[in-house]
Amino acid sequence: MHNLATECEELIKDKFKEYDEICLINSEKVLNAFRKNAVSFIHFNSTNGYGYDDLGRDTIEKVYADIFKSEDALVRNQFISGSHALTVALFACLRPNDLMLSISGLPYDTLHEVIGIKNNPSSLESFGVKYDQIDLVNDDFDYAKIENYLNNNKVKLIEIQRSKGYSTRKSITIDKVEKVIALIKKVSPDTIVMVDNCYCEFVTTKEPTEVGADIVVGSLIKNLGGGIAQNGAYIVGRHDLVELCGERLTLPGEGKEVGPSLNSNREVLMGLFHAPEVVKNSLKVATLASAMLEKLNYNVEPKWNDERADIVQNIIFNDENLLIKYCQGIQAYSPIDSQAMAYPSDMPGYDDKVIMAAGAFTQGSSIELSCDGPLRPPYIAYQQGGLTYEYGKIAVINAIKNLENYGE
Ligand SMILES: *Cc1c(COP(=O)(O)O)cnc(C)c1O
């Protein structure tokens, strides 16, 4: 299996070079934002209680705004998860009788009860917010249908989810996001464009705010936390919308002024500093896994030489046992809980049983090497993350061995 890995590394070496170049550009972005905002030792200080005048927290938000070339940012450890930040953004922007439209098909599983696709007495629907959806066609936006819809309906907010979630579609590249936003802004300039950017940050050199998105959301236990931030999420974008999100996360009248950083500022800054490199390592691990598994005749998406929009690698097993075995292999070669056996189980917010290999320093962190998938056909493994290439490579080699019951 080591020979196959070496053979694949030779095959994919130009991809690795490409990732190195992207990493350099994103590192420059991060460092320039640190320099511009004079990030200093004093910003590692913390507040507790109400969290008034948290200099570090406020500086982090300026740094995020600069990296995203956006007007404002809300970067908080009071966000439980990426889904929570998405929920805050939706409730902040939408009012009774408003219409929300998803143009990337069915949104991420955890948003179903938030929107009211699945009944919940606290959903947006329960407040009278309407929802509609336009599916992707051939993994691209249905541009004609979107244009026609916007000409005939007053849409308050459009949601675009870039990463595939637990679907079988491809993730959406920044070029496609740019093209569809140009169309939306031409037909319906007042419609708010919100992008779920989970898993996509720093995969290329442009973020959605640079191509016209009004508001962009992601998790800190994914790409931008660099494996160091222990929780939290971010929202960046237009100043007026980020203000609304602040008022919704805390309370009307206090908004972004409150929220103690509780000793997280140093980790959030350090994680962001490492993020370009960690995303690069994740891309390398994903590309290696893709090449090796394809050589062994497994069905993979993306292929090693495809353009990537996120750090997620799919292996389409078409077999429940193979999915479980691969995840168990990843778990056994994780730094934490390597002795634990991963089994499928029910998860809050998800409809099917899910198997999750997550031997991580942070619970649920998926910028650390992790592999999971819902127990439903076609039994797809969603592998992502890898703090270093070497640890990722070791785990992938051994997960494949577990699959094939290979010896050395
Ligand atoms: C991970 C993810 C989220 C948020 O998930 P959390 O586990 O709540 O942080 C939302 N959308 C997509 C597409 C994701 O991949």
Side-chain angles (χ1 to χ4, degrees):
M1 207 48 68
H2 277 274
N3 290 342
L4 178 63
T6 309
E7 188 190 314
C8 287
E9 281 172 332
E10 182 58 27
L11 177 72
I12 62 186
K13 65 175 194 281
D14 287 347
K15 271 282 163 192
F16 280 21
K17 260 195 208 138
E18 197 184 294
Y19 302 150
D20 289 339
E21 282 159 21
I22 292 168
C23 177
L24 179 64
I25 292 168
N26 286 321
S27 298
E28 276 176 340
K29 263 194 203 179
V30 170
L31 191 56
N32 285 339
F34 273 56
R35 294 176 65 236
K36 182 179 161 206
N37 292 287
V39 172
S40 312
F41 213 73
I42 194 175
H43 297 133
F44 301 159
N45 286 343
S46 178
T47 59
N48 55 19
Y50 296 128
Y52 294 138
D53 302 317
D54 194 313
L55 211 59
R57 179 198 68 203
D58 294 347
T59 302
I60 286 166
E61 291 180 341
K62 286 184 189 142
V63 167
Y64 263 74
D66 286 339
I67 288 169
F68 279 88
K69 300 188 173 59
S70 61
E71 292 173 4
D72 206 347
L74 183 66
V75 186
R76 298 297 169 107
N77 55 8
Q78 280 79 24
F79 286 125
I80 302 304
S81 60
S83 304
H84 183 210
L86 287 160
T87 302
V88 165
L90 290 171
F91 274 91
C93 295
L94 293 161
R95 296 291 177 274
N97 297 317
D98 281 347
L99 174 59
M100 165 188 176
L101 175 69
S102 162
I103 57 168
S104 40
L106 192 64
Y108 194 66
D109 297 50
T110 54
L111 294 182
H112 297 181
E113 287 182 57
V114 174
I115 295 167
I117 296 167
K118 190 176 170 195
N119 257 346
N120 185 298
S122 299
S123 68
L124 285 161
E125 192 205 14
S126 78
F127 287 90
V129 174
K130 289 178 285 243
Y131 170 77
D132 209 350
Q133 171 181 314
I134 296 176
D135 290 336
L136 297 169
V137 278
N138 300 323
D139 293 327
D140 201 352
F141 296 108
D142 193 339
Y143 298 93
K145 198 163 177 187
I146 292 166
E147 180 163 10
N148 184 48
Y149 193 96
L150 290 174
N151 278 326
N152 292 294
N153 297 278
K154 190 171 178 320
V155 177
K156 178 69 174 291
L157 179 143
I158 284 181
E159 199 224 2
I160 299 171
Q161 179 189 311
R162 295 187 61 198
S163 190
K164 64 188 70 168
Y166 280 154
S167 78
T168 53
R169 67 164 169 89
K170 289 193 165 103
S171 296
I172 300 170
T173 61
I174 194 73
D175 293 342
K176 287 177 184 161
V177 173
E178 180 163 22
K179 189 173 159 197
V180 82
I181 293 179
L183 170 72
I184 295 163
K185 294 294 171 188
K186 187 180 71 161
V187 187
S188 181
D190 292 337
T191 298
I192 298 165
V193 178
M194 174 179 129
V195 177
D196 174 352
N197 206 31
C198 281
Y199 286 138
C200 298
E201 301 92 351
F202 290 167
V203 169
T204 57
T205 57
K206 256 191 198 172
E207 301 301 331
T209 34
E210 296 174 69
V211 298
D214 297 300
I215 189 161
V216 174
V217 184
S219 166
L220 294 200
I221 59 170
K222 294 183 178 173
N223 300 19
L224 291 188
I228 295 173
Q230 294 195 50
N231 82 327
Y234 74 87
I235 298 176
V236 295
R238 250 167 57 189
H239 175 67
D240 59 332
L241 301 177
V242 172
E243 278 292 315
L244 287 172
C245 293
E247 304 265 306
R248 175 73 209 186
L249 172 65
T250 69
L251 59 152
E254 299 193 16
K256 290 181 68 186
E257 303 286 312
V258 292
S261 58
L262 300 171
N263 283 315
S264 65
N265 288 338
R266 181 176 174 278
E267 286 179 352
V268 170
L269 285 163
M270 202 167 164
L272 180 61
F273 183 74
H274 278 281
E277 168 87 20
V278 172
V279 170
K280 176 184 78 174
N281 293 336
S282 299
L283 288 169
K284 288 185 175 179
V285 175
T287 305
L288 177 71
S290 179
M292 288 180 73
L293 285 153
E294 189 181 14
K295 286 252 178 213
L296 294 170
N297 292 317
Y298 290 96
N299 190 3
V300 292
E301 201 292 309
K303 307 263 192 251
W304 67 267
N305 55 350
D306 283 343
E307 183 184 4
R308 282 175 193 262
D310 62 14
I311 62 168
V312 180
Q313 179 63 46
N314 281 172
I315 310 134
I316 300 119
F317 283 118
N318 289 308
D319 178 322
E320 182 172 337
N321 279 325
L322 289 176
L323 167 62
I324 293 171
K325 274 187 153 179
Y326 190 83
C327 290
Q328 289 176 339
I330 294 286
Q331 181 75 42
Y333 282 81
S334 298
I336 310 301
D337 292 337
S338 59
Q339 78 290 359
M341 187 58 101
Y343 287 110
S345 70
D346 291 315
M347 300 275 298
Y350 296 89
D351 292 336
D352 299 278
K353 276 194 181 350
V354 177
I355 181 160
M356 291 201 167
F361 290 87
T362 294
Q363 187 189 78
S365 167
S366 46
I367 187 62
E368 301 180 55
L369 184 64
S370 50
C371 190
D372 43 71
L375 271 277
R376 65 179 177 230
Y379 300 104
I380 302 176
Y382 296 78
Q383 177 188 304
Q384 57 275 314
L387 295 183
T388 78
Y389 175 64
E390 288 73 16
Y391 289 126
K393 177 177 166 180
I394 293 166
V396 165
I397 286 174
N398 284 287
I400 294 176
K401 277 191 197 164
N402 199 43
L403 210 55
E404 302 254 325
N405 295 318
Y406 278 126
E408 286 306 303

